[in-house]
Amino acid sequence: MQTIASDSSGAPAEISDGRHSLRVVKLRLVLTLVAVAIVPLAAVAPLIRTIIDDPRVAQHERLAVQSEHVAAEIEREVKDLGLAVAGAAADPAMPAALAAKPASAKAKAATAPLTAVLRRPSGVVTATALIDARGATHAAVGAPAAFTAPKPVSAGGASYQVLAASGDQPAALEVIVAVPGAAGGPALGAVAAAVPLDMLLRWANEDLSTAGERLAIVSASDGPLAAVTIRADVGATAQPILEVTANDQSQATGSAAVDVAGMGGWQVVASAQLTVASVPLLALVTLVALLGLLIVAAAWMGRKILEPAAELEAQRVRFQDLYHSAREAALLDNLTGLGNHRAFQEAVARMVDQARRYGTHFSLVMLDIDEFKLVNDTRGHATGDELLAEVGELIRTTIRTADAGFRIGGDEFAILLAETSTPGAEVTARRILSRGLEDRGGGRYKGAISFSAGVTACPEFGKTRLELTAQADAALYRGKRHGRTIVTVFDAAKDRGHVDEGMRSELSASVSAVIQAGALTPVYQPIVHLPTGRILGYEGLVRVDATSGFANTGALFDAAEVAGRVLDLDRAALEVVLKGASAVPLDTLVSLNVSPRSFEAPEFNATVFLAILRRHGMDPNRVLLELTERDAIREPERLRTTVQTLQAAGVRVAADDVGAGNAGLRLLSQFRFDVVKIDLSLVQGGAAEDQTMSVLTSLVGLARRWGALTIAEGVETAAQLRMIRELDVDAGQGYLLGRPGAVSAARMMDLDALAERPGGQPSTTAPSLARAPVSFQIPSGGSSGPSAAVAPVPTAASVIAGHGPSVFSTR
């Protein structure tokens, strides 16, 4: 059998055998050495990059400075030229010159302002002219230029357009300023100045010494406009020129924008061929030598590291083998080859966890060899050992690989069958039994082998390890009591309460763990007065945490009863419910559940119960004590005395679960109660069966004669609500009227609407509630007859007063 470790949650945890760890060490060593090799390379790389890239970076920076300087000079000159042209356009002689014919005396009078523009200090203007709106030149100064008709411009503002190169005339920038007409009228014409772009570039760069070989002006809309060569010949002393690559990476450039409105996003671009310096031969040789030395050192260091690592790895493998051997020995039964009791506990806990998480199912078979003690006594322990070994062989050769067999006691075995239902597990157990009873010539034990087996399944019957083992053990011993040599399936009705001492101890420890961990939480279910819809009170209940190991609260109380821990659990539940009852309105009853078995204990009596109520600030007149009887009362006189004391203090007493078998009926036969709670089995079955209806009618009539209040439990459908109202049951409780949870702020409930709900199914939403104050008078508990004093108490349970005096006496 293969054994594996498990973590705290029960999930399997594989243990590495360490056989491939040396490979991991070698891989890590290689990665480390590669990283060590990268360090010097990373240190040398910046040096190489500096040698190669510094000239490039410096050249790019110089070209950027050059382009920014040229762009700034052009920007300043163009703006100044615009102002000069605007001054010429504003000259008083310009309108008259435009009104006269071209080349007339009045037109020639405009040449003076034009000449002033032409003779600017920069000397970049080659021609100026006065142009009318049709493009005709009225006056011109300087070299001939083909000025274009001016575009509509605002008076005094300059506009710019490019005169394309033609013949021997280079491309030029045309600066135009409108000559204003009469006030508010259109412009009469414009003054224009022509600036060759190549001349402008040379002038802007003439005072700057740079490595740039070429300057160009580029427009965002029209592309390259003009370019000039600054250095026609690089010269013999220049640095080597890189060869031109396909993506022109040999060209270094710098650019800057000309920030003049209306110039179409011009940029000045300075460019030159990119040059680099050569890497010194000595540095290259040193680098290669360093790398070679590094490789040799890494190989030597790796060999030195791997020698002790290989030795450690060998020791690790030996230790892992020893660990697995010890683990196998700790979880293996040497006699049968099956798992031992510890292995069984781990395996069943793990399968329960998987069933809860992933919805899987499995079965548990527990078997006990019949008359094993007789074999030991008559034939010797050696033969008994052979019998045990033969049973282990039968189990091992019959079950599947996915299943597991265990020897959990002297002659007790267990089998876990994965993904197997109860019928399948029963078939497997019978197959092992039939093989044991038949003749086995080759077996170690030659005789027939008889055993009894018990079968249960998860989650069909149980959902925890404790439940499953107790159920299989109970089914096993029921089979032994009925003749042996039999496979018995767990039956909740027949096997309830059976538990061996070992299991009883485990159950007791589990109940104690729940109490000490504070795993109980309170919930409150409303009790509703059926004639009025008023909420009389709330029954305080507890819920157990899902991680406690118990499937639900009922399983927890069942375990406490079997383990003899009912009193401890009752007291813990009382503390939890009373602590949370502060949310219950002061004029409303609080119903508490206590087992009569708790009041039979010497350490728990009426005085202790009342002290618990006082500690939590709970008025006894608000308390309804529900007594639930699972087994016959052992000391009725002691219980009677205790409850009479409680009634005298104001506590009211209810017989709980009346109609659930004989439990409540036994209480009714010995005592008379303030309240009779009718069990849900009668309420939910009464609408369909006449016999159940008769029982219900009798119980209600009996309670009426005693003057006791009747409460119907388990009201889940509209039909059930209508039925109990027709029977004149006083109050109701169930999912239709309110699920256990937090205390509601509502005080009234619309029962008529609930009774008319179609389909008669429990509501998944809250019932229709209304807020209303409730104020009644209720007789104090403990009265001994009709003459008992009635004290006004502000609670909602005063309806009890309408059923006569509170009597609790022997019948």
Side-chain angles (χ1 to χ4, degrees):
M1 181 190 71
Q2 182 182 5
T3 58
I4 55 178
S6 61
D7 57 21
S8 59
S9 64
E14 294 289 348
I15 299 176
S16 172
D17 60 3
R19 300 181 190 278
H20 302 292
S21 299
L22 187 57
R23 296 181 183 177
V24 175
V25 171
K26 291 180 178 179
L27 177 60
R28 291 175 179 174
L29 179 60
V30 169
L31 294 177
T32 302
L33 295 179
V34 169
V36 171
I38 290 175
V39 170
L41 289 178
V44 173
L47 176 62
I48 299 175
R49 183 173 180 179
T50 300
I51 295 174
I52 296 176
D53 287 349
D54 270 2
R56 299 185 182 187
V57 174
Q59 195 166 3
H60 278 290
E61 291 177 351
R62 288 193 298 271
L63 291 174
V65 171
Q66 180 184 11
S67 60
E68 290 173 1
H69 172 79
V70 172
E73 289 295 314
I74 291 175
E75 180 181 325
R76 179 174 58 80
E77 178 60 23
V78 169
K79 288 182 179 179
D80 291 347
L81 179 59
L83 293 176
V85 175
D91 192 281
M94 293 304 178
L98 288 172
K101 293 182 179 180
S104 65
K106 290 185 177 182
K108 290 181 179 180
T111 57
L114 297 178
T115 302
V117 174
L118 179 66
R119 293 178 178 176
R120 281 180 46 75
S122 62
V124 295
V125 180
T126 58
T128 58
L130 178 64
I131 310 169
D132 61 21
R134 295 186 301 274
T137 301
H138 286 247
V141 179
F147 291 102
T148 59
K151 296 180 181 178
V153 293
S154 59
S159 63
Y160 307 94
Q161 55 190 16
V162 177
L163 296 174
S166 62
D168 57 351
Q169 294 293 327
L173 172 66
E174 187 178 15
V175 182
I176 304 172
V177 178
V179 177
L188 301 177
V191 174
V195 180
L197 293 179
D198 55 350
M199 185 180 296
L200 183 61
L201 283 171
R202 292 183 185 278
W203 170 83
N205 188 67
E206 67 183 4
D207 60 344
L208 186 68
S209 175
T210 179
E213 301 170 7
R214 187 172 181 271
L215 287 173
I217 293 178
V218 180
S219 171
S221 57
D222 301 326
L225 299 178
V228 295
T229 300
I230 305 303
R231 293 189 300 161
D233 186 7
V234 176
T237 60
Q239 295 173 324
I241 304 298
L242 288 178
E243 295 183 359
V244 179
T245 59
N247 57 1
D248 199 24
Q249 291 296 315
S250 64
Q251 195 74 14
T253 60
S255 63
V258 178
D259 186 15
V260 177
M263 290 188 64
W266 281 20
Q267 280 193 330
V268 174
V269 179
S271 60
Q273 282 187 302
L274 191 61
T275 58
V276 296
S278 60
V279 179
L281 179 60
L282 179 60
L284 184 61
V285 172
T286 303
L287 178 62
V288 173
L290 179 63
L291 290 177
L293 181 62
L294 182 64
I295 293 173
V296 172
W300 177 84
M301 183 170 57
R303 187 169 58 255
K304 291 298 182 182
I305 293 176
L306 287 178
E307 287 177 358
E311 183 178 352
L312 289 175
E313 184 61 26
Q315 294 179 0
R316 174 173 174 162
V317 170
R318 287 195 298 271
F319 286 137
Q320 288 288 358
D321 290 340
L322 291 174
Y323 168 80
H324 282 292
S325 299
R327 173 92 180 152
E328 292 286 342
L331 298 177
L332 192 67
D333 179 65
N334 294 327
L335 183 61
T336 63
L338 302 177
N340 59 18
H341 186 269
R342 177 182 172 186
F344 168 72
Q345 297 290 347
E346 291 183 3
V348 71
R350 183 166 58 251
M351 294 186 74
V352 165
D353 182 67
Q354 290 174 350
R356 184 175 63 252
R357 291 186 180 184
Y358 309 115
T360 59
H361 63 280
F362 68 94
S363 292
L364 169 62
V365 178
M366 295 183 69
L367 57 90
D368 183 89
I369 301 174
D370 297 329
E371 305 295 347
F372 179 74
K373 186 175 184 300
L374 181 61
V375 173
N376 269 339
D377 293 343
T378 59
R379 303 175 62 179
H381 288 280
T383 304
D385 290 346
E386 291 178 352
L387 172 57
L388 294 173
E390 186 67 16
V391 173
E393 182 65 20
L394 287 174
I395 293 174
R396 188 166 48 252
T397 56
T398 304
I399 62 177
R400 303 167 301 178
T401 305
D403 304 329
F406 307 89
R407 181 188 174 200
I408 59 176
D411 60 343
E412 294 181 351
F413 294 81
I415 305 172
L416 288 172
L417 303 171
E419 298 296 330
T420 304
S421 60
T422 304
E426 188 178 5
V427 169
T428 301
R430 293 187 186 280
R431 184 181 299 120
I432 297 173
L433 179 58
S434 64
R435 290 188 59 192
L437 294 173
E438 68 186 13
D439 182 26
R440 300 178 316 283
R444 297 177 60 181
Y445 182 83
K446 306 301 182 182
I449 300 176
S450 170
F451 61 79
S452 300
V455 179
T456 188
C458 175
E460 181 180 357
F461 294 117
K463 296 182 180 179
T464 67
R465 178 179 62 84
L466 295 175
E467 286 180 327
L468 292 168
T469 52
Q471 290 168 358
D473 190 68
L476 166 64
Y477 282 95
R478 177 161 58 89
K480 279 187 172 293
R481 290 193 301 269
H482 291 81
R484 305 187 179 189
T485 316
I486 189 173
V487 177
T488 309
V489 178
F490 173 74
D491 187 321
K494 299 177 182 179
D495 298 324
R496 183 178 180 275
H498 171 83
V499 63
D500 60 17
E501 288 304 317
M503 186 58 63
R504 194 185 310 276
S505 177
E506 281 198 63
L507 289 174
S508 178
S510 299
V511 173
S512 296
V514 170
I515 296 173
Q516 294 172 5
L520 299 176
T521 55
V523 292
Y524 302 88
Q525 187 173 32
I527 303 172
V528 182
H529 189 224
L530 297 180
T532 63
R534 293 183 174 93
I535 297 180
L536 300 180
Y538 289 88
E539 180 179 2
L541 305 168
V542 292
R543 295 291 181 262
V544 65
D545 192 278
T547 60
S548 64
F550 293 95
N552 49 55
T553 310
L556 173 63
F557 276 89
D558 287 342
E561 187 171 350
V562 171
R565 303 299 299 276
V566 174
L567 175 59
D568 296 335
L569 189 56
D570 271 351
R571 293 194 64 161
L574 274 177
E575 296 286 348
V576 169
V577 170
L578 288 172
K579 185 177 181 180
S582 58
V584 178
L586 294 177
D587 57 353
T588 305
L589 292 174
V590 176
S591 181
L592 304 173
N593 290 272
V594 178
S595 171
R597 189 63 52 81
S598 294
F599 284 110
E600 293 178 348
E603 62 270 26
F604 190 77
N605 51 35
T607 303
V608 174
F609 182 80
L610 293 173
I612 294 174
L613 295 182
R614 285 194 301 272
R615 189 168 68 253
H616 289 278
M618 178 62 65
D619 187 350
N621 291 282
R622 296 180 57 203
V623 175
L624 175 62
L625 175 62
E626 299 185 18
L627 296 178
T628 303
E629 183 189 11
R630 294 179 179 268
D631 297 317
I633 296 175
R634 298 172 182 173
E635 300 183 33
E637 290 302 325
R638 178 183 177 87
L639 178 62
R640 182 177 296 108
T641 301
T642 299
V643 178
Q644 283 178 342
T645 304
L646 291 176
Q647 279 198 313
V651 176
R652 289 158 184 85
V653 183
D656 194 15
D657 297 336
V658 174
N662 297 324
L665 297 178
R666 274 195 301 265
L667 283 175
L668 290 178
S669 67
Q670 300 179 44
F671 305 101
R672 188 172 296 171
F673 293 89
D674 301 295
V675 177
V676 174
K677 299 196 72 175
I678 303 172
D679 188 67
L680 60 86
S681 61
L682 293 178
V683 175
Q684 295 177 356
E689 299 181 9
D690 294 337
Q691 185 177 1
T692 306
M693 284 291 293
S694 300
V695 175
L696 281 171
T697 304
S698 300
L699 286 176
V700 174
L702 183 63
R704 287 282 182 272
R705 290 194 297 273
W706 290 344
L709 183 78
T710 53
I711 300 177
E713 298 181 296
V715 182
E716 295 186 353
T717 67
Q720 294 166 7
L721 177 60
R722 291 193 296 269
M723 177 193 70
I724 63 174
R725 295 180 82 183
E726 292 171 359
L727 291 174
D728 289 332
V729 176
D730 299 301
Q733 174 180 358
Y735 281 5
L736 183 66
L737 304 176
R739 294 175 179 266
V743 176
S744 172
R747 311 298 294 277
M748 296 285 292
M749 188 173 295
D750 188 353
L751 297 182
D752 293 333
L754 288 178
E756 295 172 0
R757 176 173 294 158
Q761 296 301 318
S763 172
T764 57
T765 58
S768 174
L769 301 174
R771 299 176 185 271
V774 182
S775 179
F776 289 114
Q777 301 298 321
I778 180 170
S780 60
S783 60
S784 58
S787 61
V790 177
V793 179
T795 68
S798 61
V799 291
I800 299 178
H803 297 81
S806 174
V807 179
F808 193 85
S809 59
T810 305
R811 297 189 64 226

